[in-house]
Amino acid sequence: MSSPAPVVLVFLDPAYPDGRMADAAKPQLLVTDLGVTRGDGIFETMLAVGGTVRKMQAHLDRLAGSARALDLEIPEQEAWQRAIAAAVARHRAGNPPSDADADELVVKLVVTRGVEGAPAPTAWVQVSPAGAVGRRQRETGIDVILLDRGYDSDVADRAPWLLLGAKTLSYAVNMAALRHAHKQGADDVIFVSSDGRVLEGPTSTVLLAHVEKSDDGTAVKRLITPRLDSGILPGTSQGALFAAAKAAGWELGYGPLEPRDLLDADAVWLISSVRLLAPVNRIDGKEIGAPAIQKELTAELSGLFAGIQ
């Protein structure tokens, strides 16, 4: 039986400027914490490579946005930065990476509302090794299925209390969707609204690309993602990659997208902070694009994304 992966926990505590180290092997939360009993809280997940956390500011900004949506008072960004640095340093000191491929850490920021009536929320940083599955999916690609999310693409405006643009702890539906996909022999899911709009993955943002020839014979590459006003989580990875792709000469586009747009694309990806850019090989059993084009575009975009900090 393999030993559990090492985990470092650092709780944000005003009495400890760099956070309070805690033993991940011992209980740390009360069973009455509202994050446990109601999923009432928020989180962010980042990737640290070689000890450097990627896109930290974008994740801290999104965490703050989620906190505003839930009326949560969370620690200042400087406190998070110190706790993140301490947690990553502690993990690397206690668990030196065996090689460059193993030098990836998942850095998770979590805030719960705490127990009923608590004067302040409970907040912590969790650092653990990145799994091999994500790295493998970057290299080999994934098969996905389309699933109905059960609401239309305008619901976020009509019902802001659904918190569709916030990254909350209430991920039971997302995880159920992934389990359903695995039972169907697929790796992941792309959600579609009840009015037929492409939305997002349970833990990722959807990207697609088209390559066309201009009048002078040069290749015009266009990178497209679903519209951000359709009730999806704004992707930090998508935003960073779009900026890098634009600087490299790509054209950019925002939906609205329908399933047919995915099937007609030259390449489709799911992108997230830890798995990074995972090419989609098949959707509902149908092959996407041409393997040679997908491979070329994936290599180019992965190179651009690798340079983002």
Side-chain angles (χ1 to χ4, degrees):
M1 186 174 180
S2 60
S3 59
V7 177
V8 169
L9 290 181
V10 175
F11 281 81
L12 279 75
D13 187 329
Y16 297 81
D18 295 331
R20 173 177 57 83
M21 293 286 176
D23 187 347
K26 296 181 179 179
Q28 299 295 336
L29 289 180
L30 293 172
V31 296
T32 52
D33 191 293
L34 293 174
V36 176
T37 60
R38 296 181 180 172
D40 193 354
I42 57 177
F43 76 102
E44 284 290 327
T45 306
M46 306 178 289
L47 182 69
V49 180
T52 299
V53 179
R54 291 164 54 93
K55 303 186 280 86
M56 185 190 299
Q57 189 60 53
H59 283 283
L60 290 174
D61 290 344
R62 192 169 67 179
L63 186 76
S66 295
R68 288 192 294 271
L70 272 71
D71 296 320
L72 272 175
E73 293 290 336
I74 67 173
E76 298 293 330
Q77 290 191 356
E78 292 77 8
W80 284 108
Q81 291 166 352
R82 292 193 298 271
I84 291 167
V88 171
R90 171 67 70 90
H91 196 288
R92 285 172 57 80
N95 307 277
S98 56
D99 53 53
D101 288 339
D103 200 7
E104 292 185 352
L105 298 174
V106 177
V107 182
K108 194 168 187 177
L109 316 181
V110 185
V111 185
T112 77
R113 203 172 295 276
V115 298
E116 192 82 46
T122 304
W124 69 92
V125 177
Q126 174 181 314
V127 178
S128 58
V133 173
R135 289 194 294 272
R136 184 173 67 249
Q137 290 183 348
R138 295 175 211 164
E139 298 168 359
T140 63
I142 55 177
D143 291 349
V144 309
I145 59 174
L146 301 178
L147 290 184
D148 188 341
R149 201 163 190 177
Y151 53 72
D152 63 53
S153 58
D154 295 326
V155 71
D157 290 333
R158 296 197 315 273
W161 52 86
L162 293 178
L163 304 174
L164 296 180
K167 197 170 179 71
T168 73
L169 293 175
S170 304
Y171 254 50
V173 170
N174 298 46
M175 298 301 100
L178 286 175
R179 289 193 298 272
H180 178 77
H182 297 160
K183 291 174 184 176
Q184 310 306 310
D187 302 297
D188 214 315
V189 166
I190 293 177
F191 286 123
V192 180
S193 67
S194 58
D195 55 341
R197 303 298 189 191
V198 173
L199 297 173
E200 60 190 342
T203 63
S204 58
T205 304
V206 179
L207 301 176
L208 65 83
H210 287 288
V211 181
E212 301 171 352
K213 291 290 186 180
S214 65
D215 293 338
D216 62 4
T218 59
V220 177
K221 292 170 288 189
R222 192 160 190 253
L223 191 61
I224 308 169
T225 197
R227 287 174 53 156
L228 298 179
D229 61 358
S230 57
I232 66 175
L233 183 73
T236 62
S237 296
Q238 171 268 316
L241 183 58
F242 262 42
K246 183 177 181 180
W250 286 64
E251 294 184 357
L252 308 178
Y254 293 87
L257 298 174
E258 300 178 356
R260 172 53 57 185
D261 296 311
L262 300 175
L263 300 175
D264 290 342
D266 289 313
V268 176
W269 302 271
L270 293 185
I271 187 171
S272 57
S273 292
V274 174
R275 184 171 55 184
L276 305 181
L277 194 67
V280 175
N281 297 328
R282 282 170 287 272
I283 297 177
D284 288 343
K286 301 179 180 67
E287 289 200 12
I288 302 302
I293 296 176
Q294 182 205 66
K295 184 176 181 180
E296 178 184 342
L297 297 179
T298 299
E300 180 177 352
L301 291 176
S302 295
L304 293 174
F305 197 42
I308 295 169
Q309 294 295 339

